[in-house]
């Protein structure tokens, strides 16, 4: 097999274009979204600071009340002074507890909102990346895309142990057929080339094959054997990314 420098150059150019598009249409919008969330967080922190000032003012009022009670204690009975002191202490403790609960609740709310914003930003990034990838791949000729994926498949099969290849061929008897599902329909000439190369890679020239197309794969191909499925499409990788994002959000 010969290395195609034109294919490599086109792939490199497309990769540079993809990076530029991601920076322009993904990275900047996500930063703006994060800045917006950060501004909302700053506003909430300002509210917390205001609440802290109010709490201190209330504390000052309580302290003033305690001072007043202390001044009146000299003219009152000792028992009345003791009861007043207990009432003031209870009010002070309650005010501190309410303030602490309010601040703790605000902090938890801010943390949840921050995690939600980050999770949404990650989901938007994945969806936007898929859309950009679809558009870029649409500009690459089918022959070049097909060549890149068949080379990857051949390399993977070549790396399998003989027992693993034999397991893939289990059930491929007279009625067994391997289905090759690609993101876009392959021309008949490329289908014939794939069929020949896959038969050589599997070491069995009698493997029956049929082709199908599924745009949900985004790019690449999945090989459906009777006993297993080899996935070389982007859909499985994107699904793994989405699951990772969801698991990250759930564990927070």
């Amino acid at each position: 097999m010969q290395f195609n420098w034109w294919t490599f150059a086109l792939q490199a150019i497309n990769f540079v274009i993809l990076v530029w598009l991601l920076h322009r249409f993904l990275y900047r919008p996500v930063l703006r979204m994060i800045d917006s969330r950060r501004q909302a967080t700053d506003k909430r922190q300002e509210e917390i600071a205001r609440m802290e000032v109010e709490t201190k003012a209330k504390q000052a009022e309580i302290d003033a009340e305690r001072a007043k009670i202390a001044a009146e204690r000299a003219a009152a009975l000792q028992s009345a002074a003791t009861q007043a002191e207990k009432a003031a202490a209870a009010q002070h403790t309650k005010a501190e507890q309410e303030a602490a609960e309010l601040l703790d609740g605000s902090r938890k709310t801010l943390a949840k909102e921050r995690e939600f914003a980050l999770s949404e930003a990650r989901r938007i990034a994945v969806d936007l990346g898929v859309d950009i990838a679809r558009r870029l791949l649409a500009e690459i000729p089918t022959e070049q895309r097909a060549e890149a994926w068949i080379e990857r498949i051949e390399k993977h099969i070549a790396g399998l142990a003989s027992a693993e290849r034999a397991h893939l061929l289990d059930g491929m008897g007279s009625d067994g057929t391997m289905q090759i599902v690609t993101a876009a329909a392959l021309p008949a000439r490329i289908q014939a080339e794939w069929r020949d190369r896959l038969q050589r890679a599997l070491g069995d020239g009698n493997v029956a094959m049929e082709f199908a197309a599924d745009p949900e794969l985004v790019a690449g191909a999945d090989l459906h054997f009777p006993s297993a499925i080899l996935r070389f499409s982007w859909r499985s990788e994107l699904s793994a990314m989405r699951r990772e994002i969801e698991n990250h959000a759930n564990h927070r």
Side-chain angles (χ1 to χ4, degrees):
M1 183 180 297
Q2 296 182 354
F3 185 81
N4 192 322
W5 284 101
W6 282 107
T7 300
F8 178 79
L10 288 173
Q11 294 285 354
I13 293 171
N14 283 327
F15 177 77
V16 172
I17 294 174
L18 174 60
V19 171
W20 180 82
L21 288 174
L22 287 173
H23 181 269
R24 183 176 180 84
F25 296 105
L26 172 62
Y27 183 68
R28 291 181 180 176
V30 169
L31 283 181
R32 286 196 294 269
M33 178 182 295
I34 293 175
D35 287 339
S36 177
R37 290 290 183 177
R38 185 179 294 111
Q39 291 174 2
T41 300
D42 292 341
K43 183 177 180 181
R44 185 60 63 84
Q45 289 177 344
E46 291 176 359
E47 293 177 0
I48 292 175
R50 180 178 58 80
M51 293 176 184
E52 290 177 346
V53 172
E54 293 177 356
T55 301
K56 290 180 180 179
K58 192 172 183 179
Q59 178 66 47
E61 293 176 1
I62 293 172
D63 292 339
E65 184 177 354
R66 292 184 64 182
K68 181 179 179 181
I69 293 173
E72 295 175 350
R73 183 173 52 187
L77 295 174
Q78 185 64 36
S79 60
T82 302
Q83 293 177 358
E85 183 69 21
K86 291 180 179 180
Q91 187 176 3
H92 176 72
T93 301
K94 182 179 180 181
E96 288 183 340
Q97 183 179 0
E98 290 176 351
E101 291 176 353
L102 180 61
L103 290 174
D104 184 63
S106 298
R107 291 191 182 98
K108 289 181 179 179
T109 300
L110 286 174
K112 290 181 180 179
E113 290 180 352
R114 187 181 298 111
E115 289 301 325
F116 178 77
L118 291 175
S119 178
E120 287 300 311
R122 294 188 187 100
R123 289 190 181 95
I124 292 173
V126 172
D127 293 338
L128 184 57
V130 171
D131 184 60
I132 292 174
R134 288 182 190 274
R135 296 181 183 181
L136 291 176
L137 289 171
E139 298 178 2
I140 302 176
T142 303
E143 292 78 3
Q144 295 181 4
R145 283 182 284 164
E147 178 63 25
W149 289 107
I150 188 61
E151 288 180 357
R152 179 184 175 189
I153 294 171
E154 288 176 327
K155 183 177 180 180
H156 177 82
I157 295 177
L160 296 177
S162 57
E164 292 175 320
R165 284 197 294 271
H167 175 69
L168 292 176
L169 296 175
D170 285 346
M172 298 291 294
S174 58
D175 296 332
T177 300
M178 180 179 73
Q179 187 179 48
I180 305 170
V181 183
T182 55
L186 299 178
R189 180 181 62 80
I190 296 179
Q191 290 185 14
E193 180 182 352
W194 275 45
R195 184 178 288 106
D196 181 61
R197 292 171 68 170
L198 287 173
Q199 287 178 340
R200 289 201 306 270
L202 292 169
D204 188 343
N206 296 319
V207 177
M209 303 179 188
E210 63 179 18
F211 290 82
D214 183 2
E216 294 298 323
L217 296 183
V218 183
D222 288 346
L223 306 185
H224 294 254
F225 293 87
S227 59
I229 299 177
L230 296 183
R231 302 187 185 279
F232 302 93
S233 65
W234 286 9
R235 177 170 63 183
S236 57
E237 297 177 3
L238 292 172
S239 297
M241 292 173 61
R242 288 192 175 94
R243 286 194 299 270
E244 182 178 354
I245 290 173
E246 292 174 356
N247 291 336
H248 180 79
N250 291 333
H251 283 95
R252 283 290 179 176

